[in-house]
Amino acid sequence: QVQLVESGGGLMQPGGSLRLSCAASGNIFSINVMGWYRQAPGKQRELVASITAGGRINYADPVKGRFAISRDNDRKTTYLQMNSLKPEDTAVYYCKAEAYVNSYELDDFWGQGTQVTVSS
């Protein structure tokens, strides 16, 4: 139905920056919310940031002031700009889209995940 393809992860030193991208494709009627989650080894998957179709944004407290989420509705893509990276940001980052595949069916779709490693 909907496929999310993520890119931009990698290795970065503390204080550095990375930009993640997530492009949605498939039979999409509309996308309500796009967001980024992360999961570190031995920890729960947690919301990092989300953005609605209208541009309303939420950030998790640990990333406020450092990360910025955006979206390009024409490209069906969301971005996560990560600045001032810390070792505790190390995790697999997952893209999530809450999307309608038709006018009445709303489902959640997940990307494959991309590894972000911040070395100390």
Side-chain angles (χ1 to χ4, degrees):
Q1 299 181 72
V2 176
Q3 184 178 10
L4 304 179
V5 179
E6 303 167 357
S7 62
L11 176 65
M12 181 58 62
Q13 68 271 27
S17 298
L18 288 171
R19 177 179 282 262
L20 307 183
S21 64
C22 169
S25 62
N27 189 24
I28 302 170
F29 184 80
S30 65
I31 303 176
N32 280 2
V33 183
M34 302 188 82
W36 291 92
Y37 293 72
R38 67 186 182 186
Q39 187 167 22
K43 297 185 178 180
Q44 288 281 320
R45 185 175 298 188
E46 63 179 2
L47 174 69
V48 177
S50 65
I51 182 168
T52 70
R56 183 172 296 178
I57 294 171
N58 291 118
Y59 293 107
D61 286 341
V63 308
K64 287 181 179 177
R66 299 189 298 119
F67 291 9
I69 189 171
S70 61
R71 66 189 281 173
D72 183 331
N73 290 327
D74 184 49
R75 294 182 176 181
K76 299 183 180 67
T77 299
T78 185
Y79 306 92
L80 185 68
Q81 178 67 45
M82 304 185 294
N83 299 321
S84 301
L85 283 164
K86 303 175 179 180
E88 49 263 48
D89 296 320
T90 296
V92 177
Y93 284 70
Y94 297 91
C95 177
K96 179 185 176 182
E98 181 185 82
Y100 283 95
V101 297
N102 51 47
S103 63
Y104 58 87
E105 184 177 350
L106 181 66
D107 291 298
D108 292 335
F109 302 93
W110 291 88
Q112 79 284 356
T114 184
Q115 177 71 47
V116 172
T117 301
V118 184
S119 63
S120 59

